[in-house]
């Protein structure tokens, strides 16, 4: 059992609480970097997919897990990031400029959209973002001269300092690119949580009234959360475009928005680990299902809606029995072992709360 | 004449949206939970009725099958609350939203497995054809939809305003703890409201299936109905119906007078405008939270 004696405020906000956790994460990064030599190209592609979903999950986690604003429209921002990055590159911009520019553009648009959205609460925000996601699909079709509408676009070759990167011909280089973006985004997220802005976001999530009392500017915090969240999501969207190779208005449908939200709930709301755990579930579920179908002997008969149906089932079980997600379960198991034999069952009991409406009638 | 024609078909569509929206609002009014699977409930209700009525499934007469399927959906709604939603007691609104979206996926999958993904039509006596009044062609099904919707909304409104159970439901939604102290069995009341909304969904489904073919993805109509409920203002029964009618009427007019591509975004654009300028709907019931 490790005990952290915090002797200064600096100790409390350190990136890694102790050398052990630093060592664990360093090992993880070394394994991740060496992965192309350990795996064949198919599984490397799958891991790349997991990482891209994890970046998108980090983006939504910042908004939903950290600031408490549920968004069902993040596929719109994935689409915006994807289209803007590839359109910039078609204009002749190099990848290293077009990629961050796509992120910044998505972030700015996200902030502008947030200005009316921050007046909305709970379900009203959810429905407004659903409308956004549906509108995005139609707007892509309407802006056909720029976006090529229904026929879609193809991702060009990425060139960084003369090194050519492409998903199919050089999967290892593409993997390293995605890994680098993942690490940068995770570090940015982790650092944001230690900053005053990150603390303000958590305060807004827990109680807007008490956050106001503490001097947090709610509207500004929510707008910042929207902006940063959309920027990260936009980066993930651009990578998704390169991963898919070809995309059109239906690639980023409302189902993607919903899947993204469900993913971070399964992973565990409000934690970085949760985004990664959720991404693993989302990316490997189709493979897992087809493997089980082969084992049972179902053959190649396609059952439409099976994936989403099973996914929905998993999610219902999680919300009922483990609302904290995979990460929450992992924490409970870890704390049980750390405190052994002093862990008690009631330690994680939820407090009962009663509903009181804000409606007049 | 053309305007009247568009108006009537818009009103009939709007009534179906309004009925689904009514299901949302019922649950929201009594439990402050939002059931995103309401559209899929509607689809399930339609398929249950279809399965009981159509000749190559069970083959019951329609007037036996319709009440039966409404009852089945009511029981299903109650059981859903009993086995699933009651365990969410005290969790956030967002958890319920996500849970019901997942539930919608599961219902769609199950309906696809049982009744296949092919569009099917209900052998309904309501769909007996059209008749002509002064150049306006009205479908029998359209008129039935409008009449049933108006009656149902009226009865539900009276139910909430006047009956003991309706008042108990309102009390339970406004302050659970106080409702407990007044002797209201809050949990059972919530189960009943889920049953009631299941029944309303079944009515909506049967009417919708009488108007045309349905397939398991018809549940996605729920999103449009949700927009209707928000436009009307959550928590107001007449508001939900009005919202549904507005969305329903806008659609045919937009597709008639707007260029192609702009028509299907009209309801959502309206929704965003309403949310920006009146964040709690046209028939708002919420005070601004003051610190």
């Amino acid at each position: 059992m490790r005990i952290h004696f915090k002797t200064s405020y600096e100790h409390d906000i350190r990136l890694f609480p102790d050398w052990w956790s630093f060592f664990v994460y360093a090992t993880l990064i070394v394994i991740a970097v060496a992965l192309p030599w350990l795996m064949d190209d198919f599984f490397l592609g799958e891991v790349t997919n997991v990482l891209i979903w994890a970046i998108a999950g980090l983006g939504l986690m910042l908004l939903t897990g950290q600031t408490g604003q549920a968004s069902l429209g993040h596929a719109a921002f994935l689409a915006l990031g994807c289209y803007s990055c590839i359109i910039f590159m078609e204009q002749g911009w190099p990848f290293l400029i077009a990629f961050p520019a796509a992120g910044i553009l998505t972030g700015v648009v996200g902030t502008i959209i947030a200005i009316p959205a921050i007046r909305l609460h709970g379900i009203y925000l959810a429905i407004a973002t659903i409308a956004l996601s549906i509108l995005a699909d139609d707007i892509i079709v309407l802006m056909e001269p720029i976006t090529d509408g229904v026929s879609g676009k193809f991702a060009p070759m990425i060139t960084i300092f003369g090194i050519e990167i492409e998903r199919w011909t050089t999967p290892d280089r593409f993997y390293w690119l995605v890994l680098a973006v993942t690490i940068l985004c995770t570090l940015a997220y982790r650092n944001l949580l230690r900053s005053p802005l990150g603390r303000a976001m958590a305060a807004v999530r827990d109680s807007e009234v008490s956050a106001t009392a503490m001097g947090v500017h709610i509207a500004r915090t929510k707008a910042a959360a929207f902006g940063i969240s959309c920027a990260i999501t936009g980066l993930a969207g651009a990578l998704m475009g390169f991963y898919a190779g070809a995309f059109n208005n239906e690639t980023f449908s409302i189902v993607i928005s919903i899947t993204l939200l469900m993913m971070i709930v399964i992973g565990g709301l409000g934690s970085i680990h949760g985004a990664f755990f959720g991404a693993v579930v989302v990316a490997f579920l189709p493979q897992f299902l087809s493997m089980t179908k082969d084992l049972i002997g179902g053959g190649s008969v396609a059952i439409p809606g099976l994936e989403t149906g099973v996914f929905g089932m998993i999610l219902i079980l999680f919300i009922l029995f483990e609302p904290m997600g995979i990460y929450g379960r992992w924490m409970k198991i870890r704390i049980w072992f750390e405190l052994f034999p002093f862990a008690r069952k009631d330690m994680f009991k939820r407090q009962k709360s009663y509903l009181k409406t804000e409606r007049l009638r | 004449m053309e305007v009247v024609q568009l108006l009537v078909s818009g009103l009939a569509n709007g009534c179906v949206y309004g009925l689904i929206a009514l299901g949302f609002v019922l649950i929201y009014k009594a439990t402050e939970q939002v059931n995103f699977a309401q559209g899929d409930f509607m689809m399930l209700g339609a398929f249950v009725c279809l399965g009981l009525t159509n000749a190559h499934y069970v083959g019951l007469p329609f007037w036996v099958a319709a009440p039966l399927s409404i009852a089945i959906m009511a029981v299903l709604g109650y059981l859903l609350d009993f086995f699933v939603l009651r365990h969410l007691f005290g969790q956030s609104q967002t958890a319920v939203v996500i849970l019901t979206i997942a539930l919608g996926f599961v219902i769609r999958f199950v309906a696809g497995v049982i009744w296949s993904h092919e569009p099917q039509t209900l052998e309904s006596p309501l769909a007996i054809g059209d008749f002509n009044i002064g150049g306006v062609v009205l479908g029998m099904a359209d008129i039935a939809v409008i009449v049933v919707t108006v009656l149902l909304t009226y009865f539900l409104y009276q139910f909430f305003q006047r009956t003991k159970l309706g008042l108990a439901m309102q009390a339970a939604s406004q302050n659970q703890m106080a409702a407990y102290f007044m002797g209201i069995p809050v949990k059972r009341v919530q189960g009943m409201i889920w049953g009631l909304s299941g029944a309303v969904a079944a009515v909506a489904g049967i009417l919708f299936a009488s108007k045309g073919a349905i397939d398991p993805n018809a549940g996605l109509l729920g999103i449009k109905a949700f927009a209707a409920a928000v436009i009307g203002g959550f928590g107001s029964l007449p508001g939900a119906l009005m919202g549904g009618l507005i969305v329903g009427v806008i659609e045919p007019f937009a597709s008639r007078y707007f260029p192609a591509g702009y028509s299907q975004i009209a309801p959502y654009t309206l929704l965003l405008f309403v949310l920006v300028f009146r964040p709690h709907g046209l028939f708002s019931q919420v005070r601004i939270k003051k610190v």
Side-chain angles (χ1 to χ4, degrees), chain A residues 125-145:
Chain A
L125 185 65
I127 184 66
T129 47
I130 283 186
L132 201 66
S133 196
I134 293 172
L135 284 179
D137 187 336
D138 292 312
I139 287 171
I140 291 171
V141 177
L142 289 177
M143 288 172 63
E144 202 187 335

Side-chain angles (χ1 to χ4, degrees), chain B residues 85-100:
Chain B
L85 284 137
R86 212 165 276 185
H87 302 279
L88 288 186
F89 209 64
Q91 278 198 51
S92 73
Q93 240 182 5
T94 322
V96 179
V97 167
I98 296 167
L99 180 105
T100 48

Side-chain angles (χ1 to χ4, degrees), chain A residues 146-319:
Chain A
I146 314 174
T147 58
D148 291 342
V150 185
S151 51
K153 273 188 175 303
F154 293 95
M157 175 88 78
I158 306 170
T159 318
I160 300 176
F161 301 125
I163 303 170
E164 289 186 335
I165 302 174
E166 214 258 349
R167 185 229 177 300
W168 296 108
T169 49
T170 57
D172 45 351
R173 287 182 195 164
F174 186 67
Y175 167 75
W176 281 319
L177 173 73
V178 173
L179 183 65
V181 177
T182 313
I183 293 173
L184 284 179
C185 285
T186 313
L187 274 181
Y189 191 120
R190 186 76 181 84
N191 276 320
L192 185 73
L193 293 194
R194 308 190 294 157
S195 71
L197 182 61
R199 305 281 159 123
M201 287 172 181
V204 169
R205 172 192 62 195
D206 292 340
S207 161
E208 287 191 16
V209 174
S210 51
T212 317
M214 297 294 285
V216 172
H217 194 300
I218 296 209
R220 211 176 291 156
T221 311
K222 281 190 190 172
F226 252 98
I228 300 169
S229 158
C230 293
I232 298 177
T233 313
L235 295 181
L239 291 176
M240 246 177 219
F242 285 114
Y243 182 80
F247 51 90
N248 68 355
N249 61 320
E250 284 177 359
T251 313
F252 303 100
S253 63
I254 177 135
V255 177
I256 302 285
S257 296
I258 295 173
T259 311
L260 201 57
L261 185 62
M262 290 184 169
M263 178 186 108
I264 61 170
V265 172
I266 287 183
L269 273 180
S271 63
I272 297 176
H273 298 73
F276 285 86
F277 286 138
V280 171
V281 174
V282 165
F284 280 118
L285 189 65
Q287 258 70 24
F288 177 74
L289 282 181
S290 67
M291 278 179 210
T292 3
K293 223 162 39 178
D294 286 346
L295 275 183
I296 296 169
S300 57
V301 185
I303 309 173
L306 176 70
E307 248 169 63
T308 45
V310 172
F311 194 50
M313 225 35 220
I314 295 176
L315 191 78
I316 291 175
L317 293 179
F318 261 105
I319 290 186

Side-chain angles (χ1 to χ4, degrees), chain A residues 17-32:
Chain A
D18 53 30
W19 281 105
W20 170 250
S21 63
F22 174 78
F23 176 73
V24 168
Y25 287 106
T27 321
L28 194 64
I29 286 184
V30 168
I31 293 174

Side-chain angles (χ1 to χ4, degrees), chain B residues 109-131:
Chain B
F109 168 63
V110 170
V113 168
I114 300 178
W115 290 288
S116 90
H117 284 261
E118 300 297 318
Q120 299 182 52
T121 38
L122 175 65
E123 289 156 9
S124 157
L126 295 175
I128 47 169
D130 311 328
F131 53 90

Side-chain angles (χ1 to χ4, degrees), chain A residues 70 119 123-124 127-128 130 135 138 258 262 265 304-306 315 319-320 323 353 355-357 359-361, chain B residues 29 32 34 84 88 90-91 94 98 101-102 109 117 173-174 176 226 234 264-265 272 275-276 279 285 287:
Chain A
R119 291 174 64 196
I123 46 158
Y124 289 94
I127 184 66
I130 283 186
L135 284 179
D138 292 312
I258 295 173
M262 290 184 169
V265 172
L306 176 70
L315 191 78
I319 290 186
L320 284 182
S353 65
L355 180 109
K356 236 180 125 179
T357 186
R359 283 181 288 122
L360 290 173
R361 272 179 288 143
Chain B
K29 234 174 133 62
E32 297 255 320
V34 183
V84 179
L88 288 186
Q91 278 198 51
T94 322
I98 296 167
I101 292 177
F109 168 63
H117 284 261
S173 90
Q174 284 177 358
Q176 282 178 341
F226 201 93
F234 254 88
Q264 69 258 42
I265 67 176
L272 285 181
L275 282 178
V276 168
Q285 294 184 320
R287 266 176 303 202

